[in-house]
Amino acid sequence: MVEKPLSQLNSGEKGRVVKVVGDPLLRRRLVAMGVVRGAEVIVVRRAPLGDPMELLLKGYYLSLRRNEAENVFVEVDGKQT
Amino acid sequence: MDKWSLKIAGSYALALGALYVACGLLEILSRMGVSPFKIDRFIPADPFSGFASIVVGATYLYSVRALLTGREEGLPFLLGGVVLSTILGVTFILVAGAHWLDSWLEGGEFSLAEELRPEIWLFASSLPVAYFTLQWIRASGRPGSFPSRWLK
Amino acid sequence: MMVKVALIGNPNVGKTVIFNNLTRGREHVGNWPGTTVEKRVGRGKHKSVTMEIVDLPGLYELTASSIAELIARDYIVKENPDVVVNVVDASNIERNLYLTLLLLELEANVIVALNMWDVAESRGYGIDVKTLSELLGVPCIPTIAPKKVGIEELKDEIVRATQKRRVGGRPISYGDDVEMFIGKIETIILRDARLSKYPARWLAIKALEGDERALKTIEELAGPETLSEILSIVAESRSVLGGDPEVVLAERRYNVIRVILERAVRKREVKLILTDVLDEVFLNKYLGIPIFLAIMWTVFYFVFEVSEPFMKLLNEGFIMLGKLAGETKTPLASLWADGICSGLGFVLQFIFPIIFLYIALAILEQSGYLPRAAFLMDRIMYNVGLGGRSFIPMLLGFGCNVPAIMATRVIKDERDRLATILVIPLMSCAARLPVYVLIAGALFPEYAGTVVFSMYMLGIILAILVSLLARKLVPGLKGKPAPLLLELPPYRVPTLTAVLSFAWRRALVFLERAGTVLFAGALILWFLAYFPWGVEPGSGDSYAGLIGNTLQPIFSPLGFDSKLVTALVFGFWAKEVVIEALGILYGVEGEEEIRSVIAASVSPLTGLAYMAFVLIYVPCIATVAAVKKETLSWRWAAFLVAYQLTLAYAVALIIARLGSLL
């Protein structure tokens, strides 16, 4: 298990949310949208210009900017990168 | 979907996509005054609609490689092409209606040949593809799980 | 009997269609007091019960940090509606139930409408409605709003629910550790009678979460001692719960939801999800943006081509009406023909592009493409100090600034929205094009296309600069764009009635608000052009001409003569009028004539400066009216006028000076 910010995941990678940090307002919005500890997140794709990213979690699609996704830490199966 | 249907669809998409791109290019070229043919009665000189046509064509062409080798991965682009072709085609039909109304009010000229732009007849040619993709959506019976396997 | 029903739900759950089904079009649209958040109230009747239905804004949670959320929360706490219908997207039930839990905390009399039932089925969700109702403790009704499935049942349930109000209680437990703290705070709250009008458990939870509004209420009503007592419990909870109570509570809510769904929902294997398939194309790395541009071009083409015959028809109708006053030229006849009729005709001809633009916008919105556009464009927009949601309104600005400004309502964050409103007028609207074409054609016959194009580019560059500067300097706009957190909902086929009713409502709003201002402006300009009575209308002797003459010295550094300045005065009403005014001022008719007069009397450099000025200075009074309407303050409208006049002057001056150096 490797822990890293969600923003570093590649398209198609899957992770489980460990913690959400950062600005309280942003954190509140994120947890309300279901980005809570234990939630499983799949990175679906990045926008054509590289940012924002599209996620699949709790059965719906959510898109976050890179600087927002940096505040979400996920654990990923597999080898250290 | 069996391999042969996919291959046939792929060939059709290749032809359709190529026609869209060709018409789109001609629309742009004839605007720039360098069109090789004298066809402005059937292909209007409109760079923007030309661009839109090229986009539709490119979407169709995206599906071709996978379909011709019998893989379903091309089907999303086929469907996307149909959706775009419909948006463009229906818009030009509505606009033709508006032009007709305009000529009726003003007593001006209304030429059906001019209104029957490539976008309209290419839309009509896309209808078999629409039927095909509809069949695919209805019949695609292979189970996956949510998220569906179309999610890379 | 009259019952109050509130509709609430996440964005994109089909709440509006449910609202339309319940009210059958009998509705009143306004704003929530003091805000630009749309308030829709409608009436419906079912089994001799009259329902007054209020559509609350779409939201994800009920915190004190956004206007929409405060409106909804205050409405439920203070107005205490008999029934709260929570519209839930059944295909996205996990996230949607979060709001449901918050409503249950509020002790509202909740009915859950499991909308988009068909989409949920196609995604393989088998929802056991009976179990779900039992676990939530509230009735759940499956609905498919566009097909009117489940609407009668929903109405039945509303009537039934008004008869037996659910009383408070504790339907859902957030775990012993959390409950202990909620209980402690609740005891303190229950002790104080002054807090009794709020649901005690809800207030306790909000206090534990550190909700500013709740803490302030407690302080105001129960005094600072009670507050500090509560705050010490909150502080204690932080160390015991091992984290921010707010985050812990959110996690617990999602845990509760997971437990409920494990029992009430069976997931089935599914074949294919249309939304996934389409997004693979529409959000494709290479095709995504070209497709977006092609779609946007199609929208514009549709709007302008289709509305043209209608505009012509209307215009001619009003000219005919104007002729009713006869040929004799008296002030009264002129008031009728040149003031009222041409003014009304002018105002009303806007209505067609606006209706068609809104039809297109409604299709984009209801099909689910709008959030995708924001997703595709966010990178660019973020870099210029705005967000992806600002892109479509700004793009609409190239058509007409007025609906563009009204369309900023899709931007949730208030500061982002204001910043967008301030830069939209820099998008060259369709009315400015004829001015460019005429002047560029007269002065730069060889490069007319390039010159016109560079005017559009100048507008875009200035918009970027203004937005970047405003986010640094202007109070009320300072700061970074709001977080994106954008949901990409399933694609859906828009319904005709929903699209038409959306467009029609918006058009009416435009007529009501902008219409009066526009009409008044038309009359004022008529007066300025035709008086003192007897002068050649709009000529140098009219009041407008006098204003132009008086103002001319200010503009002489830019090289504008008094005729050009007078035309600018008219351009304040609407940009197309500039050409007409120039024609009158030069005493010529027809575009060809105007063109040759301009070519003879205006230098290319002055022409360039003039075009830039026309681009930048206030687009038209309709836009100013729309800005006032959408910002609820004359201050922002005045700021817009002031900054645009200054900017226009500065840019024109730079062009004039630089040009004379070359």
Side-chain angles (χ1 to χ4, degrees):
Chain A
M1 284 292 176
V2 184
E3 192 180 314
K4 55 180 169 183
L6 181 58
S7 54
Q8 288 179 10
L9 261 58
N10 292 322
S11 299
E13 276 193 279
K14 195 191 278 190
R16 190 175 290 276
V17 177
V18 185
K19 62 173 186 254
V20 184
V21 298
D23 171 58
L25 179 69
L26 173 65
R27 199 176 46 173
R28 182 194 301 162
R29 293 262 181 255
L30 280 170
V31 294
M33 299 291 277
V35 187
V36 289
R37 193 165 45 181
E40 196 170 88
V41 182
I42 302 173
V43 177
V44 179
R45 60 168 67 81
R46 286 197 160 70
L49 300 172
D51 196 31
M53 65 201 312
E54 184 187 353
L55 310 169
L56 173 69
L57 80 152
K58 301 209 174 287
Y60 82 102
Y61 297 99
L62 176 70
S63 88
L64 295 181
R65 293 194 189 112
R66 186 193 305 270
N67 59 12
E68 291 151 19
E70 273 166 3
N71 296 311
V72 180
F73 285 85
V74 292
E75 50 178 25
V76 190
D77 286 337
K79 51 217 176 292
Q80 196 92 33
T81 38
Chain B
M1 285 284 150
D2 64 285
K3 263 194 155 72
W4 278 110
S5 318
L6 290 173
K7 283 185 179 176
I8 293 167
S11 328
Y12 196 82
L14 177 61
L16 206 53
L19 271 177
Y20 259 112
V21 173
C23 286
L25 282 175
L26 283 177
E27 285 180 30
I28 295 175
L29 286 178
S30 55
R31 169 69 195 205
M32 290 157 63
V34 287
S35 168
F37 316 109
K38 191 85 195 101
I39 38 167
D40 46 346
R41 208 172 159 72
F42 300 104
I43 301 203
D46 186 341
F48 292 103
S49 75
F51 167 73
S53 299
I54 291 175
V55 171
V56 181
T59 309
Y60 274 130
L61 292 179
Y62 243 81
S63 72
V64 169
R65 234 177 85 182
L67 289 179
L68 282 184
T69 49
R71 285 177 294 131
E72 286 192 350
E73 276 78 354
L75 288 171
F77 295 93
L78 204 57
L79 178 65
V82 169
V83 172
L84 291 174
S85 155
T86 309
I87 293 173
L88 210 58
V90 169
T91 302
F92 278 109
I93 292 171
L94 287 174
V95 168
H99 287 166
W100 174 80
L101 190 65
D102 203 35
S103 71
W104 183 70
L105 290 171
E106 305 249 300
E109 222 180 297
F110 178 80
S111 140
L112 193 65
E114 246 168 64
E115 295 298 337
L116 226 53
R117 305 168 56 120
E119 288 84 357
I120 294 181
W121 56 261
L122 284 171
F123 162 56
S125 321
S126 291
L127 291 176
V129 187
Y131 178 77
F132 179 77
T133 47
L134 220 64
Q135 292 300 312
W136 167 53
I137 292 164
R138 285 233 187 88
S140 163
R142 215 164 313 155
S145 62
F146 184 79
S148 69
R149 64 197 193 83
W150 295 103
L151 200 71
K152 273 191 195 134
Chain C
M1 195 173 92
M2 169 86 125
V3 295
K4 273 200 277 188
V5 179
L7 270 188
I8 193 166
N10 289 175
N12 306 308
V13 295
K15 196 159 57 79
T16 311
V17 186
I18 297 248
F19 178 86
N20 290 344
N21 279 335
L22 291 177
T23 58
R24 296 231 184 96
R26 280 173 301 235
E27 56 165 11
H28 173 78
V29 184
N31 282 345
W32 291 91
T35 69
T36 51
V37 180
E38 192 175 83
K39 179 181 187 180
R40 302 173 70 205
V41 183
R43 290 218 169 157
K45 209 172 150 111
H46 187 67
K47 290 188 179 161
S48 79
V49 176
T50 313
M51 302 180 282
E52 188 197 64
I53 299 148
V54 175
D55 193 9
L56 295 171
L59 35 72
Y60 293 110
E61 49 177 338
L62 293 168
T63 63
S65 54
S66 97
I67 305 170
E69 291 172 14
L70 268 181
I71 288 170
R73 175 167 144 177
D74 282 350
Y75 184 82
I76 292 172
V77 175
K78 295 188 177 142
E79 300 286 319
N80 199 13
D82 297 282
V83 180
V84 174
V85 176
N86 177 205
V87 183
V88 160
D89 173 359
S91 72
N92 178 3
I93 190 164
E94 192 168 353
R95 218 260 340 273
N96 271 255
L97 283 184
Y98 188 81
L99 182 65
T100 313
L101 290 194
L102 295 175
L103 292 170
L104 293 177
E105 280 171 15
L106 257 177
E107 286 167 31
N109 190 15
V110 176
I111 296 175
V112 172
L114 294 166
N115 199 29
M116 317 225 295
W117 186 258
D118 47 347
V119 182
E121 281 189 334
S122 76
R123 291 198 160 189
Y125 289 111
I127 302 172
D128 178 352
V129 178
K130 201 158 150 274
T131 313
L132 186 63
S133 301
E134 275 165 18
L135 291 172
L136 287 172
V138 298
C140 300
I141 315 289
T143 56
I144 306 170
K147 293 179 186 150
K148 296 194 169 57
V149 173
I151 300 298
E152 287 307 307
E153 290 82 351
L154 183 61
K155 286 182 186 164
D156 285 345
E157 203 55 60
I158 291 173
V159 171
R160 205 171 304 142
T162 53
Q163 283 148 9
K164 58 165 204 298
R165 276 210 69 152
R166 204 174 63 83
V167 274
R170 179 193 289 206
I172 279 141
S173 161
Y174 294 133
D176 293 339
D177 47 352
V178 174
E179 289 298 335
M180 184 186 80
F181 291 105
I182 297 177
K184 273 187 187 172
I185 301 175
E186 202 178 348
T187 334
I188 298 172
I189 288 168
L190 284 171
R191 213 170 59 196
D192 202 313
R194 286 167 294 191
L195 293 172
S196 64
K197 68 174 171 178
Y198 292 94
R201 183 177 154 84
W202 174 72
L203 200 56
I205 292 174
K206 285 293 136 189
L208 186 61
E209 286 182 317
D211 184 282
E212 307 102 60
R213 216 24 178 358
L215 294 175
K216 215 170 125 209
T217 309
I218 292 170
E219 187 177 18
E220 273 167 11
L221 295 176
E225 295 84 46
T226 315
L227 180 70
S228 61
E229 205 178 332
I230 289 173
L231 284 180
S232 69
I233 298 174
V234 175
E236 187 196 339
S237 75
R238 200 176 297 263
S239 57
V240 175
L241 297 176
D244 217 321
E246 195 180 44
V247 175
V248 174
L249 264 153
E251 281 170 16
R252 296 297 164 86
R253 288 190 191 106
Y254 273 108
N255 284 344
V256 168
I257 292 169
R258 213 190 53 229
V259 172
I260 291 175
L261 293 185
E262 267 166 18
R263 293 181 57 192
V265 177
R266 277 173 302 105
K267 264 203 201 166
R268 204 164 30 79
E269 300 276 277
V270 288
K271 324 162 195 174
L272 120 176
I273 289 160
L274 213 50
T275 297
D276 291 350
V277 172
L278 285 172
D279 269 344
E280 199 166 313
V281 183
F282 291 146
L283 302 181
N284 181 277
K285 195 171 172 191
Y286 303 104
L287 288 176
I289 289 177
I291 287 177
F292 168 70
L293 296 175
I295 289 179
M296 289 322 292
W297 174 80
T298 313
V299 164
F300 274 99
Y301 187 77
F302 163 76
V303 168
F304 291 101
E305 291 291 320
V306 174
S307 54
E308 207 174 73
F310 296 100
M311 285 168 81
K312 274 189 196 157
L313 190 65
L314 196 83
N315 233 337
E316 303 209 339
F318 275 101
I319 291 172
M320 296 242 288
L321 226 75
K323 286 192 180 133
L324 288 180
E327 288 300 310
T328 49
K329 278 290 175 193
T330 63
L332 211 61
S334 166
L335 172 66
W336 170 253
D338 308 312
I340 294 177
C341 282
S342 84
L344 262 183
F346 176 71
V347 172
L348 286 177
Q349 70 169 344
F350 268 120
I351 203 85
F352 290 107
I354 285 182
I355 287 181
F356 287 113
L357 207 55
Y358 273 117
I359 287 178
L361 193 63
I363 293 173
L364 287 178
E365 186 177 22
Q366 292 177 19
S367 63
Y369 190 70
L370 217 48
R372 267 98 186 162
F375 176 73
L376 291 170
M377 287 295 133
D378 186 74
R379 175 77 180 265
I380 298 174
M381 299 308 287
Y382 185 75
N383 286 342
V384 303
L386 300 166
R389 292 182 179 93
S390 301
F391 194 83
I392 297 264
M394 286 179 71
L395 202 63
L396 293 182
F398 287 114
C400 176
N401 288 178
V402 176
I405 284 166
M406 284 159 64
T408 56
R409 290 189 175 201
V410 298
I411 305 164
K412 301 238 175 54
D413 183 74
E414 209 43 34
R415 287 180 315 151
D416 287 4
R417 197 169 98 92
L418 270 173
T420 313
I421 287 176
L422 284 184
V423 297
I424 282 176
L426 291 169
M427 304 288 111
S428 271
C429 65
R432 276 170 259 191
L433 182 61
V435 185
Y436 303 154
V437 169
L438 181 92
I439 296 178
L443 300 174
F444 306 93
E446 303 281 299
Y447 312 103
T450 317
V451 170
V452 172
F453 181 72
S454 60
M455 281 299 135
Y456 278 84
M457 290 314 293
L458 179 64
I460 294 170
I461 292 166
L462 286 172
I464 292 170
L465 292 178
V466 167
S467 145
L468 285 174
L469 272 181
R471 300 303 316 232
K472 291 248 155 57
L473 300 176
V474 180
L477 301 179
K478 262 189 244 179
K480 286 201 166 229
L484 183 65
L485 285 172
L486 179 75
E487 183 185 352
L488 301 177
Y491 286 106
R492 261 166 295 164
V493 179
T495 63
L496 188 67
T497 44
V499 168
L500 291 182
S501 87
F502 177 88
W504 178 239
R505 267 192 298 126
R506 281 301 151 112
L508 281 185
V509 168
F510 165 77
L511 269 191
E512 256 171 58
R513 276 95 184 215
T516 43
V517 180
L518 265 181
F519 185 57
L523 288 187
I524 291 169
L525 280 159
W526 165 77
F527 177 79
L528 291 177
Y530 283 78
F531 283 81
W533 186 249
V535 300
E536 182 66 24
S539 70
D541 300 323
S542 68
Y543 288 131
L546 290 179
I547 294 175
N549 288 339
T550 322
L551 291 176
Q552 194 274 331
I554 305 175
F555 290 94
S556 54
L558 312 181
F560 300 173
D561 63 17
S562 64
K563 289 192 171 82
L564 290 178
V565 176
T566 310
L568 287 180
V569 175
F570 285 102
F572 205 85
W573 175 26
K575 289 288 163 69
E576 315 73 324
V577 186
V578 170
I579 297 171
E580 211 174 314
L582 283 174
I584 296 170
L585 289 160
Y586 284 112
V588 289
E589 259 179 57
E591 229 164 81
E592 273 310 306
E593 297 284 307
I594 300 175
R595 206 177 284 242
S596 52
V597 177
I598 289 176
S601 62
V602 179
S603 78
L605 190 59
T606 306
L608 215 52
Y610 195 69
M611 278 190 280
F613 199 92
V614 168
L615 158 68
I616 305 163
Y617 91 109
V618 189
C620 63
I621 47 175
T623 307
V624 178
V627 170
K628 194 259 149 186
K629 168 80 209 84
E630 290 298 318
T631 58
L632 299 175
S633 88
W634 281 111
R635 259 187 46 230
W636 282 114
F639 176 72
L640 175 84
V641 176
Y643 107 73
Q644 294 217 295
L645 282 174
T646 321
L647 187 66
Y649 193 89
V651 172
L653 190 65
I654 291 170
I655 292 175
R657 283 295 124 123
L658 274 184
S660 62
L661 286 180
L662 293 175

